[in-house]
Amino acid sequence: LCAMYKRGLVQVWSLEQPDWHCKIDEGSAGLVASRWSPDGRHVLNTTEFHLRITVWSLCTKSVSYIKYPKVCQHGMDFTKDGHYMALAERRDCKDYISIFVCSEWQLLRHFDTETQDLAGIEWSPNSCVLAVWDSCLEYKILLYSLDGRLLSIYSAYEWSLGVKSVAWSPSSQFLALGSYDEKVRILNHVTWKKIAEFEHPPNISNSKSVIYKEVDTRPTLGNDGLSLPPIGTAGCSLFSSHSKYEICQPPVQVPAVKPDPDRANPKLGVGLLAFSPDNRFLATRNDNMPNTVWIWDVQKLSQFVVLEQVSAVRSFQWDPCRARLAICTGSNKVYLWSPSGCLSVQVPIEGSFQVLSLFWHFNGNSLVLLSKDQMCVCYLETTEASKH
């Protein structure tokens, strides 16, 4: 699928049938977003000014329209099994949620939410609970069942900036809430009450903390100072740097950035968080400590490891199959952490390749790395492959 927003066009090609292609033209309605449905048989286009969402069927060539989608970053979410879609709507100055059956795009439930300005929605992995959170001006998260019943409301405090990020554990037993007060709160799925609170202190003094610090090392020239690497040798640039991790002993001062109070969306609070696939670990990034990744032990509800990078962390993502975290910082390296340790891997490509984001393949054997205008696929050598 290729979307050209300025032209209002979407083009679709088949990898199995090269002769088959499809072109969708939204015309004067314009186009601001386009995505696949979970079954891969429909394309959902959002028109300009969020006037409607157009559902195009690639099989029957039929078209369906969904009105009043709300303008927000996380306003649409599908259940993990792909059976249902939840959509945030705004009409008559109120927030609503519509739940659709994806097979026929029929409306299953429609209900209003107790939010002032809904900011996002996310299904639990077991598709039983929908988390809805309010804008950053109010700390409020609401939990709804599939049939639209309000299960619980949680608010940690009032009169201050609220929820910034949300993540479900793969088992749906825990809901992690990152907020602007630089804390993560963990809710349980039985009572929807807080069972743990993780802070991101500027000083780590706990003697049991394990702290990995990235150290940059640059290759030195020979005695003559005039030798140059062979032309065309990948990864052997004269000024290329290599990095490794060193273990630091507490106490350690965590590098922090003072946010600018005069700018919108201040770099403050927990903006990234994700559970490992085995529910054992939670990784977080506090935005005013951009170079640091915090990894928490969910079973013991305590800090497990802290990774301090040379540059600001752009993105991280867990391996879908095992407790292995991939991190990128906008450099030409990918950083991998697992309970057995961590390492730095230089992207095996000629020239400059700054990794801005990354995505795992579902089998955990490869990574897609994205730079500003390039992408590459990196395959990780497994133990089984190395034996052959």
Side-chain angles (χ1 to χ4, degrees), residues 192-206:
W192 300 113
K193 302 295 183 183
K194 182 183 72 174
I195 60 170
E197 185 174 281
F198 299 149
E199 298 184 3
H200 299 76
N203 295 292
I204 302 175
S205 55
N206 187 352

Side-chain angles (χ1 to χ4, degrees), residues 40-55:
R41 299 178 180 180
H42 300 84
V43 176
L44 284 74
N45 291 341
T46 304
T47 62
E48 284 188 345
F49 309 109
H50 281 69
L51 296 178
R52 71 185 185 206
I53 292 176
T54 311
V55 183

Side-chain angles (χ1 to χ4, degrees), residues 117-180:
D117 184 13
L118 187 151
I121 59 178
E122 186 172 336
W123 285 105
S124 61
N126 63 6
S127 308
C128 293
V129 180
L130 180 68
V132 178
W133 59 96
D134 218 323
S135 72
C136 63
L137 299 179
E138 183 174 2
Y139 195 118
K140 181 189 285 187
I141 187 150
L142 307 99
L143 290 312
Y144 290 93
S145 64
L146 182 60
D147 59 3
R149 289 181 295 112
L150 179 61
L151 302 176
S152 183
I153 301 177
Y154 177 78
S155 178
Y157 50 79
E158 294 181 344
W159 315 116
S160 187
L161 294 178
V163 177
K164 189 171 188 178
S165 54
V166 174
W168 286 96
S169 68
S171 64
S172 303
Q173 293 177 305
F174 304 110
L175 179 62
L177 308 176
S179 52
Y180 284 88

